[in-house]
Amino acid sequence: MSKAKNARVCIVGSITGNTNTVGGGLVYPQANLGKLEGFEQGAKKPVEMANGKSFFGAKAYKDSKVCNMMTVSELHKRYHEKTGIVFSSMYPGCIAETNLFREKRPWFRKVSTLRN
């Protein structure tokens, strides 16, 4: 990739990983990796989340987006200068009509799909 002109790596992010946004701060649960205790414990039952707690789908999604953003930031910091590759993340928008939101309240799924 470093030989390609204007090489880029883009990882899909989400505002739900940012607690300073409506989707990440006001919509339960908030992303929280804790001190990564779950990784230290091998992410095996009953510890299946990064923060050392049991699995919760909506939180797992938000936590995964935080991990994606941390990964892309670290990749850029380590390799951009040496390779010229631009590492970034992007947010495609809310797609609440998919099964990704199956654990959310029906009203949230309905309101989130309204278009201007």
Side-chain angles (χ1 to χ4, degrees):
M1 281 192 71
S2 60
K3 293 179 182 179
K5 185 177 180 180
N6 299 320
R8 298 174 182 272
V9 171
C10 185
I11 296 177
V12 177
S14 173
I15 61 168
T16 62
N18 296 331
T19 55
N20 63 343
T21 65
V22 172
L26 297 179
V27 178
Y28 176 79
Q30 289 187 347
N32 180 345
L33 301 179
K35 295 183 180 176
L36 305 177
E37 306 93 326
F39 293 140
E40 290 176 3
Q41 297 172 35
K44 297 177 185 168
K45 284 188 177 184
V47 177
E48 300 170 314
M49 300 291 288
N51 67 350
K53 307 278 169 106
S54 296
F55 183 79
F56 179 24
K59 185 173 178 317
Y61 174 79
K62 289 183 174 189
D63 286 356
S64 75
K65 296 307 172 184
V66 170
C67 289
N68 284 352
M69 289 183 275
M70 290 170 61
T71 299
V72 80
S73 292
E74 190 63 26
L75 287 169
H76 193 82
K77 185 172 85 176
R78 289 185 188 195
Y79 301 112
H80 175 68
E81 190 85 17
K82 295 178 207 170
T83 65
I85 299 170
V86 174
F87 297 87
S88 59
S89 66
M90 54 80 72
Y91 171 54
C94 183
I95 309 168
E97 61 267 10
T98 67
N99 276 338
L100 187 61
F101 286 85
R102 66 187 172 276
E103 296 176 7
K104 287 292 180 197
R105 293 176 185 93
W107 68 263
F108 176 82
R109 294 169 58 184
K110 187 98 161 158
V111 169
S112 296
T113 59
L114 297 176
R115 306 283 187 242
N116 291 332

